[in-house]
């Protein structure tokens, strides 16, 4: 069941899995993605490892507050917010949940937000897991093909959006694993029906580009840190994972052959095992 709470001056929609007495685990999703893009099956696997799992919609995504009054970002104009603001949203959600601190897992832009959360609110973060992410937008640029897929303007027609999702993930996904076209279409349809806001995604992208590089600040992160990355990621190449791990003292890097910019179902047990090992320690 989706719940909405007030946090950091906005409303945030979230869902939870597992027992409330479990280890608190906050999942932060990426650019334009909604809480449903943390697959229920993956959340349940994490809950089975003793976690109280919460997945949520970032601002300008899903059922959380959208900044419609800011319109679509224009070239040269200041971003309406930064990744630091999204990190403050996550801290505010934790406050609303009654969590003094949590294990934090972020994927893609969510990894950037998780990094910013560990920098800005160190007392809130028990462990940090950064998945297919980067310390800065210029650390390891995407391939031209991946960038074109990312920047393609989504059509307004639902069926065309579903078809485009399959096309996009055929480029960004994991070439070492079979592309689950049916699941991609299903998720794209659920996301379209929950909330369709391309301008919100554009505002999130503007925040990424305006937030600069976190490498120097990550040197001050003191919590146990895990960095997971696909070795054939075209959108955020694996060099960015190496850079993230190098920036955080003592961080552990795990890379996966054949994994691109998604979380292939066959890798879920390995990914969950890595996260559980970190949080249990």
């Amino acid at each position: 069941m989706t719940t909405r709470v007030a946090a950091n001056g906005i409303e945030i929609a979230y869902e939870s899995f597992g027992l409330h007495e479990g280890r608190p685990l906050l999942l932060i999703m990426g650019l334009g993605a909604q809480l449903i893009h943390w697959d229920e099956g993956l959340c349940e696997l994490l809950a089975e490892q003793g976690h109280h799992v919460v997945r949520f919609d970032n601002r300008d995504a899903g059922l959380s507050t959208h900044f419609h009054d800011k319109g679509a970002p224009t070239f040269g104009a200041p971003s309406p917010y930064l990744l630091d603001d999204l990190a403050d949203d996550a801290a505010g959600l934790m406050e609303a949940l009654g969590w003094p601190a949590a294990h934090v897992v972020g994927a893609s832009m969510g990894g950037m937000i998780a990094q910013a959360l560990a920098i800005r609110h160190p007392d809130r973060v028990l462990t940090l897991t950064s998945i297919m992410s980067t310390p800065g937008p210029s650390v390891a640029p995407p391939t031209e093909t991946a960038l074109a897929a990312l920047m393609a303007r989504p059509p307004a027609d639902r069926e065309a959006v579903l078809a485009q999702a399959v096309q996009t993930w055929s480029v960004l996904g994991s070439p070492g694993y079979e592309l689950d076209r049916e699941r991609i279409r299903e998720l794209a349809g659920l996301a379209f029906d929950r909330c369709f806001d391309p301008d919100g995604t554009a505002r999130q992208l503007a925040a990424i580009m305006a937030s600069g590089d976190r490498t120097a600040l990550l040197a001050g992160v003191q919590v146990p840190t895990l960095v997971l990355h696909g070795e054939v990621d075209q959108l955020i190449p694996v060099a960015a994972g190496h850079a993230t791990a190098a920036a955080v003292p003592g961080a552990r890097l795990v890379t996966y052959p054949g994994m691109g910019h998604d979380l292939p179902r066959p890798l879920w047990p390995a990914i969950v095992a890595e996260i559980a090992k970190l949080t249990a320690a």
Side-chain angles (χ1 to χ4, degrees):
M1 184 182 70
T2 304
T3 303
R4 290 165 64 98
V5 294
N8 194 35
I10 65 171
E11 285 199 329
I12 296 179
Y14 76 92
E15 296 177 357
S16 64
F17 299 79
L19 299 176
H20 282 244
E21 59 267 27
R23 301 191 299 281
L25 185 74
L26 187 69
L27 301 178
I28 310 178
M29 221 340 127
L31 176 67
Q34 302 183 32
L35 62 82
I36 58 173
H37 292 100
W38 289 110
D39 195 284
E40 284 190 17
L42 178 59
C43 294
E44 288 166 357
L45 285 176
L46 287 164
E48 289 170 6
Q49 293 298 313
H51 299 110
H52 177 201
V53 179
V54 166
R55 61 179 186 174
F56 71 99
D57 290 323
N58 288 308
R59 61 170 64 191
D60 265 332
L63 304 182
S64 291
T65 295
H66 288 246
F67 288 71
H68 298 299
D69 60 313
K70 302 297 184 182
T74 56
F75 182 76
S79 174
Y81 51 80
L82 300 174
L83 292 180
D84 284 350
D85 296 298
L86 281 88
D88 292 347
D89 293 346
L93 174 58
M94 291 167 62
E95 179 73 24
L97 291 169
W99 286 0
H103 303 279
V104 178
V105 178
S108 194
M109 182 188 77
M112 305 174 205
I113 297 167
Q115 294 168 24
L117 181 62
I119 291 166
R120 292 174 63 79
H121 303 277
D123 293 342
R124 289 276 185 195
V125 180
L126 298 172
T127 65
L128 169 65
T129 300
S130 180
I131 305 176
M132 55 191 179
S133 196
T134 180
S138 62
V139 170
T143 66
E144 290 185 9
T145 305
L147 187 61
L150 176 71
M151 299 304 290
R153 183 75 174 179
D157 174 73
R158 187 181 190 276
E159 183 58 34
V161 168
L162 271 57
Q164 187 185 65
V166 173
Q167 182 179 2
T168 297
W169 291 107
S170 67
V171 174
L172 302 183
S174 299
Y177 298 87
E178 184 177 356
L179 187 71
D180 190 344
R181 288 175 168 81
E182 183 178 340
R183 180 58 175 157
I184 291 170
R185 285 180 57 86
E186 180 185 13
L187 272 176
L190 289 171
F192 185 94
D193 295 340
R194 283 182 95 239
C195 175
F196 181 67
D197 184 11
D199 287 348
T201 300
R203 288 188 291 272
Q204 290 183 350
L205 181 59
I208 292 174
M209 302 311 296
S211 293
D213 192 289
R214 291 171 296 283
T215 302
L217 292 172
L218 286 171
V221 172
Q222 298 297 314
V223 298
T225 297
L226 174 67
V227 178
L228 305 177
H229 217 106
E231 294 181 6
V232 286
D233 192 331
Q234 289 195 67
L235 187 61
I236 302 181
V238 68
H242 285 274
T244 303
V248 181
R252 180 167 182 264
L253 172 67
V254 180
T255 63
Y256 298 100
M259 175 176 155
H261 200 73
D262 62 359
L263 298 170
R265 186 180 295 267
L267 283 178
W268 288 0
I271 290 169
V272 168
E274 290 289 352
I275 293 171
K277 182 166 64 175
L278 180 73
T279 64

